[in-house]
Amino acid sequence: MEQMNRNRGTGEVPVAFLLKSLLFSYILTGMLLAILAFMLYKFGLGERAVSIAIIVIYVTATLLSGFVAGKRMKSRRFLWGLVMGCAYFLILAVVSLIAGKGDVQVGSSFFTTLALCAGGGMLGGMLS
């Protein structure tokens, strides 16, 4: 508790807390994607429904991450939420690049996903 109060007074960024928040958002993403995979297997969802569900999962994960970061940081909450959303997207893009063996095309869906992740995080920060 002492460390937390000291960080707020000096303006230091609690990097460990932000990384934990980001990890939480990826754990949440994994759980929600596992539920989506089960629903896809069990109910044979269509491509459109799966695409919408993935978008909802991205926004939900970044919204919660931004909310938690905004609660902790107390000032410039929207900015910390935006940072969390962009960090989430950056890790998502790097993992996709590695998993796709470098065969990633930057198109409209790339920027749409960036906007959704950044917007979700910023909204979470504003709501905190």
Side-chain angles (χ1 to χ4, degrees):
M1 190 60 131
E2 178 78 26
Q3 180 68 25
M4 187 171 68
N5 290 334
R6 232 182 314 153
N7 284 345
R8 286 189 187 149
T10 61
E12 292 179 23
V13 178
V15 176
F17 172 78
L18 295 176
L19 290 176
K20 286 178 187 176
S21 177
L22 199 56
L23 179 63
F24 168 74
S25 68
Y26 273 105
I27 291 170
L28 177 65
T29 299
M31 290 177 7
L32 292 175
L33 285 175
I35 292 169
L36 178 62
F38 175 75
M39 291 175 61
L40 179 62
Y41 170 74
K42 200 70 169 164
F43 303 116
L45 301 174
E47 184 179 339
R48 184 166 174 86
V50 172
S51 295
I52 291 171
I54 289 172
I55 289 170
V56 169
I57 290 170
Y58 287 163
V59 172
T60 301
T62 55
L63 188 131
L64 289 175
S65 181
F67 184 84
V68 170
K71 276 285 192 197
R72 172 73 183 263
M73 299 309 287
K74 298 289 185 194
S75 66
R76 298 188 192 146
R77 295 174 179 179
F78 72 97
L79 183 61
W80 288 109
L82 179 66
V83 166
M84 294 306 291
C86 289
Y88 181 93
F89 174 77
L90 181 66
I91 293 170
L92 184 68
V94 168
V95 169
S96 296
L97 184 65
I98 292 169
K101 308 227 182 340
D103 191 27
V104 176
Q105 297 177 356
V106 177
S108 63
S109 65
F110 181 85
F111 295 110
T112 302
T113 305
L114 171 60
L116 288 170
C117 290
M122 189 166 40
L123 180 62
M126 287 189 287
L127 294 176
S128 65

